[in-house]
Amino acid sequence: MKRIISLLVLLVLVWGPVEKIPVVRAAGNITIQTIYASGFSNPVQLTHAGDGTGRMFVVEKVGRIRIIQNDGVLSTPFLNISTLVRSSCGECGLLGVAFHPDFEINGYFYINYNDYSSPMNTVIARYTVSAGNANLADPASRKVILTIAQPYENHNGGQLFFGPDGYLYIGMGDGGSGGDPQNNAQNVESLLGKMLRLDVNTGDPYGIPADNPLVGKPGRDEIWAIGLRNPWRFSFDRLNGDLYMGDVGQNLWEEISFQAAGTANGKNFGWRCMEGSHLYNSSPPCNNPAFLSTLTLPIAEYSHNEGVSVTGGFVYRGSIFPDLYGKYYYADFGRGRIWSLTKVQDSPPAFSAPVLELDNTGINIGAFGEDEFGELYVLDFYGGKIRKLESTAGPAGDLLDSSMTPSTRSADPDETVTFHIFARNNGGVALTAGVVNPIPSGVSYQLGSVTASSGSATFNSGAGQIEWNGSVPANASVTIS
């Protein structure tokens, strides 16, 4: 006889104790209480190599890149160029790293740092991983790609990132001082105050993408966008390629700027005409309404009553916390606040009102980080700690692929049929779970026959059902027969 079987899976989520920090809850649903790693010196970036190893690389401002592997910090730095890096000034140092999309094959990675020249330079250099040790870079492999003179010590930008198009994007501040006295951000002959875009796979030391906006026109071919003051951390949404930038303000306003994937190149984000969405400088062409109408204004801003220096972040695309999915997280360095906003419409792009997720965290948030799986982290600049960004609802498992399979689809009277229940957890965390399987009408249970690969399985004669309780590891399964 043929039977139709039903499977009911009941989940109970658990997690262990975490270290606490002073937090004033706001309207959001996140926590950064879990300390994932510590012992860093002024961390300014956390990223991954995209090579399937799960390693995370932490950039220290003093001139080191260190590795977190298997939940531990390796004692030997991946790269140590502290003798080359000028890190004594507040906004200078080793500020960024980006791994080539083909890093697993060519071993290339690119760094952004300030040197000891006078005047100081921003240096973009390529290094290669050591041939004999994947956790060590070859210090002799340095190849300088680009050098940009800095007239002042501040506003150095520092982020570099390979976009979904395979090109290297470099965020440059306006050269520093205050108010952009040299008007670099609006000057297309200067690389300062810009988003640059290079093809590091052609030319020597690099090529220019054919669709960069100033190719064949007056201005520097390396420029992708203009009008930035100090883009402190930008990122691409790994799902759709949208570009988000935290651009540090002058006296009154901090902003998040945005460029949707696939939209026209040559954006002008407004500085020094605009600070956020507010007029800052009225000298020409900033006094021309027609010119002002061409500027790309921020998607979010906050005043210096709420913070003092924005830190751009990432859109959460991980799997552990589904309730965070699709939210862009950013912070204020000085006040330790974290906000989120969500893109609610693609064309034209529209966003939710920002949500203050955490207030007065008690730390200076120097950067957010994203691992190979899309999970997010918060970097405590002065405390030297890496904290996980998590949902207060706790982690989510995924037992949707759980199934039950009989040894045969039909059976004669008095024939024995064995049922195998596969509790499959596709989530990123282990789950404490329970499985309840009622015995169908017309089928009798053979006493003592239930087994499980782990956990405890019994037959509840009163309820007429198989019951199992135990833990299902992340990305693993338990078999109940």
Side-chain angles (χ1 to χ4, degrees), residues 170-181:
I170 305 167
M172 293 299 303
D174 64 7
S177 186
D180 193 6

Side-chain angles (χ1 to χ4, degrees), residues 81-432:
I81 58 166
S82 54
T83 58
L84 301 178
V85 173
R86 182 177 181 180
S87 61
S88 57
C89 45
E91 296 181 24
C92 57
L94 176 60
L95 302 178
V97 63
F99 290 84
H100 193 282
D102 294 325
F103 172 77
E104 192 174 2
I105 299 171
N106 60 31
Y108 292 160
F109 65 97
Y110 298 77
I111 63 172
N112 182 326
Y113 69 93
N114 300 115
D115 67 10
Y116 281 103
S117 298
S118 182
M120 182 180 73
N121 293 313
T122 284
V123 178
I124 310 299
R126 187 190 76 193
Y127 281 81
T128 307
V129 70
S130 168
N133 187 339
N135 287 334
L136 285 177
D138 178 3
S141 65
R142 181 172 73 116
K143 178 180 176 64
V144 174
I145 301 298
L146 179 64
T147 300
I148 303 171
Q150 293 285 356
Y152 302 96
E153 292 182 345
N154 57 336
H155 300 183
N156 298 308
Q159 181 85 52
L160 64 172
F161 213 115
F162 279 95
D165 53 14
Y167 296 127
L168 181 64
Y169 289 73
I170 305 167
M172 293 299 303
D174 64 7
S177 186
D180 193 6
Q182 299 178 0
N183 196 27
N184 289 315
Q186 292 296 320
N187 178 7
V188 295
E189 297 296 339
S190 170
L191 297 182
L192 299 171
K194 311 296 192 298
M195 181 65 72
L196 311 181
R197 182 174 179 250
L198 310 181
D199 182 355
V200 296
N201 295 313
T202 64
D204 187 11
Y206 57 84
I208 300 295
D211 58 344
N212 274 10
L214 298 181
V215 172
K217 302 176 182 178
R220 295 291 297 268
D221 290 348
E222 295 92 340
I223 293 172
W224 175 252
I226 72 173
L228 298 174
R229 183 177 180 274
N230 189 29
W232 183 245
R233 310 294 91 169
F234 68 88
S235 66
F236 292 93
D237 184 342
R238 61 163 57 193
L239 178 69
N240 55 35
D242 288 344
L243 173 61
Y244 293 79
M245 294 177 285
D247 198 10
V248 179
Q250 178 66 44
N251 298 321
L252 297 175
W253 297 96
E254 304 295 312
E255 69 182 79
I256 300 296
S257 297
F258 174 82
Q259 181 175 7
T263 56
N265 56 22
K267 299 286 186 186
N268 186 339
F269 291 101
W271 176 253
R272 71 179 180 174
C273 294
M274 310 293 291
E275 182 184 9
S277 60
H278 310 267
L279 188 67
Y280 174 80
N281 189 307
S282 60
S283 59
C286 305
N287 59 349
N288 184 339
F291 173 77
L292 295 178
S293 70
T294 68
L295 303 180
T296 300
L297 298 182
I299 59 171
E301 63 180 12
Y302 61 90
S303 77
H304 281 198
N305 292 327
E306 301 176 83
V308 294
S309 182
V310 69
T311 297
F314 290 86
V315 177
Y316 179 81
R317 296 297 182 187
S319 62
I320 295 179
F321 306 107
D323 57 319
L324 307 186
Y325 193 81
K327 295 181 179 180
Y328 173 75
Y329 291 93
Y330 61 100
D332 185 77
F333 178 85
R335 301 279 177 85
R337 289 173 166 169
I338 298 178
W339 292 266
S340 72
L341 58 83
T342 305
K343 186 180 179 186
V344 296
Q345 178 178 293
D346 287 331
S347 184
F351 296 84
S352 67
V355 172
L356 179 59
E357 297 275 357
L358 283 178
D359 194 4
N360 299 334
T361 59
I363 64 174
N364 295 94
I365 300 173
F368 291 80
E370 182 184 46
D371 69 17
E372 202 161 353
F373 309 102
E375 302 302 325
L376 299 187
Y377 302 80
V378 172
L379 279 61
D380 178 353
F381 181 76
Y382 291 115
K385 297 180 176 65
I386 309 297
R387 299 179 178 272
K388 289 185 176 181
L389 191 151
E390 300 173 303
S391 168
T392 55
D398 179 4
L399 294 178
L400 295 179
D401 285 344
S402 298
S403 62
M404 182 167 65
T405 304
S407 58
T408 179
R409 292 293 179 181
S410 62
D412 295 325
D414 297 324
E415 183 178 350
T416 298
V417 178
T418 301
F419 294 90
H420 299 286
I421 299 171
F422 301 98
R424 173 71 187 176
N425 178 13
N426 290 326
V429 293
L431 293 178
T432 296

Side-chain angles (χ1 to χ4, degrees), residues 47-70:
T47 188
H48 62 89
D51 59 355
T53 64
R55 294 176 299 171
M56 289 185 282
F57 296 79
V58 178
V59 177
E60 296 179 316
K61 181 176 175 288
V62 71
R64 292 186 297 259
I65 301 175
R66 301 177 66 188
I67 295 177
I68 303 174
Q69 186 173 33
N70 298 326

Side-chain angles (χ1 to χ4, degrees), residues 15-49:
W15 56 95
V18 295
E19 180 175 341
K20 303 291 185 181
I21 61 172
V23 171
V24 177
R25 289 291 306 145
N29 63 337
I30 64 167
T31 175
I32 58 169
Q33 293 177 329
T34 302
I35 294 180
Y36 183 66
S38 61
F40 298 97
S41 174
N42 299 142
V44 293
Q45 186 186 4
L46 179 149
T47 188
H48 62 89

